Amino acid sequence: MLATARSDLPRGAGWLYEFKWDGIRALADVHDDTVRITTRNGNDVTVAYPELLALRTEFSDALLDGEIVAFADGRPSFESLQQRMNVHQDAPARALATTNPVAFIAFDLLRLYGVDLTGRELHERRETLQRLADGSDPADSSWSLSPAFDDPDAVSSAARAHELEGVVAKRADSRYHSGARSADWVKVKFIQRSEFVVIGWESASESATRLSSLVLGYFADGRLRVAGKVGSGLTNATARSLQKQLVTDLSPTELDLKASPGRVLTRVEPRTVVEVSYSQWSNDTDQARLRHPVFVGVRTDKDASEVGRD
C-alpha cells in the first residue's frame, strides 16, 4: 500500500501520524525458519542485509511492512544506506553489516501465524504489532515499531527538528490494499527530494565517452517529461558505475532533449531511477525544471514506471 503525496497533512479524528523514515520500503516475510526481504518492486534483497535474518528468531510466521534504515550520528542516512543497497554477495554483505548496520522499522503487520490481517483496520494491526514489540527485548531485537501519534503539529515539529524526511498520515480505520496508492495514507515531505528516471547523460565534447551529468525525467499522464539535469553530487566512481548500466539510444525521440552548450548528449532507455535533492521547480508548467539539483543516489528498489512528479 502506497501513500499519496500532498503539501499538507490531513487533520481531524481518525488519523495517525508517523515519521517518514529515509530508507528503503520493504516487506519482511518470515516463515518456516526463513526470512525473505523484498523491495516494493519485488526485488529479493535478502542477501544484502544478513543482520535481518535474526527476524526468524522472533517470529515463527509473519509478514511485516516497513523500512530498512541506516543511521549516521543518530539520524537516518540515505547516503549510508547506499553502501548497502547494491551488494549481491554474502561475504561483503556480512562485513558491511558489522561496520554499517541497518535496522528494520516496521509500521504494519500483514500476516501473523498464517492469518491474513490485511482486511482488518490499521489500528488493530498496529495494536498487534505493539504487543509483539512489547514482548521483545529492544537490546536484542532485530526490528522496532515505528511510533504513531495523534498530534500532527507535534509530529511535524519533531520531524523538522531532527531533520527527518517528512510525516505520513494514515487513517486508523484503513484496510491494507497491496500495491495500491491510497488517499487513506498521505505523505508530506519536508525535504525537497524526489525520484527521477534517467533519460540521458551528457559528456564534455572533447571527451564524449565520460559521463558528467544526467538528464532526468518523470512520468505524467503516461508520458515521459523532462525534469532537468544533474551533475552536482556525482562522484567519479558513481558516474562510471551508472555509465556501465545505462542502455543507450532508447529514450523516446519525441522528448525535447537538447545538450547543454559544449556538451554531447546520449539518450538512454528510461529504466534507471535516481534520487535527487533540489531547491524548487522553476515553474508549474510542463516545461518546469529542477533548480539547484544535487544527485543523492540510485534507487534500485523502485521501478521507473512508478516515478511521477511529487
Side-chain angles (χ1 to χ4, degrees):
M1 188 156 164
L2 306 175
T4 299
R6 275 181 36 177
S7 60
D8 60 335
L9 288 170
R11 296 171 178 272
W15 287 95
L16 298 175
Y17 304 92
E18 303 176 29
F19 297 124
K20 193 174 191 305
W21 302 100
D22 196 2
I24 296 175
R25 181 81 177 272
L27 293 175
D29 191 350
V30 188
H31 64 92
D32 297 332
D33 199 35
T34 65
V35 177
R36 184 171 184 258
I37 309 294
T38 55
T39 59
R40 74 185 223 188
N41 58 355
N43 289 337
D44 188 330
V45 294
T46 310
V47 69
Y49 307 103
E51 60 267 53
L52 299 185
L53 295 178
L55 287 167
R56 63 191 175 196
T57 67
E58 301 188 61
F59 300 95
S60 60
D61 183 276
L63 180 59
L64 302 166
D65 190 357
E67 286 200 56
I68 301 170
V69 183
F71 290 86
D73 299 323
R75 293 176 179 171
S77 171
F78 189 75
E79 182 179 9
S80 296
L81 189 60
Q82 277 277 296
Q83 303 172 32
R84 302 292 308 271
M85 289 174 61
N86 296 312
V87 180
H88 306 294
Q89 295 181 330
D90 184 65
R94 290 188 179 279
L96 284 169
T98 300
T99 60
N100 183 21
V102 300
F104 189 83
I105 301 179
F107 49 69
D108 215 329
L109 181 65
L110 312 186
R111 187 189 74 241
L112 184 66
Y113 307 136
V115 178
D116 182 355
L117 304 181
T118 57
R120 302 186 184 183
E121 296 184 351
L122 174 63
H123 69 89
E124 295 182 62
R125 304 196 302 270
R126 280 196 58 95
E127 287 166 4
T128 303
L129 260 181
Q130 185 66 64
R131 289 194 295 271
L132 293 169
D134 291 343
S136 63
D137 183 351
D140 296 327
S141 182
S142 54
W143 70 284
S144 62
L145 174 61
S146 179
F149 309 91
D150 59 7
D151 186 338
D153 295 323
V155 175
S156 296
S157 295
R160 291 183 187 277
H162 292 85
E163 299 179 4
L164 299 181
E165 187 182 5
V167 173
V168 179
K170 300 176 180 177
R171 292 197 60 87
D173 61 357
S174 60
R175 272 70 172 179
Y176 191 98
H177 303 286
S178 297
R181 190 172 298 280
S182 172
D184 287 339
W185 289 14
V186 173
K187 62 180 178 181
V188 173
K189 289 186 177 182
F190 299 150
I191 298 174
Q192 292 280 59
R193 215 170 71 193
S194 299
E195 294 87 35
F196 296 94
V197 184
V198 179
I199 56 178
W201 57 272
E202 290 187 338
S203 59
S205 57
E206 64 273 13
S207 177
T209 61
R210 183 175 178 180
L211 185 153
S212 60
S213 64
L214 300 173
V215 186
L216 308 172
Y218 63 94
F219 285 95
D221 301 323
R223 294 174 50 215
L224 263 176
R225 302 185 188 277
V226 182
K229 301 170 184 178
V230 62
S232 179
L234 272 172
T235 65
N236 289 335
T238 301
R240 287 194 297 269
S241 176
L242 277 168
Q243 194 168 347
K244 290 178 182 177
Q245 72 183 64
L246 296 173
V247 179
T248 61
D249 299 327
L250 292 175
S251 64
T253 55
E254 66 269 19
L255 283 174
D256 185 22
L257 298 185
K258 297 179 181 178
S260 303
R263 300 282 173 171
V264 173
L265 173 68
T266 301
R267 294 173 177 269
V268 303
E269 182 178 348
R271 66 181 183 185
T272 298
V273 179
V274 297
E275 187 151 342
V276 174
S277 64
Y278 55 95
S279 61
Q280 61 185 29
W281 289 86
S282 60
N283 54 54
D284 292 328
T285 70
D286 290 343
Q287 287 75 43
R289 298 291 185 267
L290 299 173
R291 292 176 61 85
H292 312 298
V294 178
F295 177 85
V296 176
V298 179
R299 297 300 303 244
T300 56
D301 58 316
K302 296 187 177 182
D303 287 330
S305 59
E306 299 179 36
V307 176
R309 178 174 167 178
D310 285 344

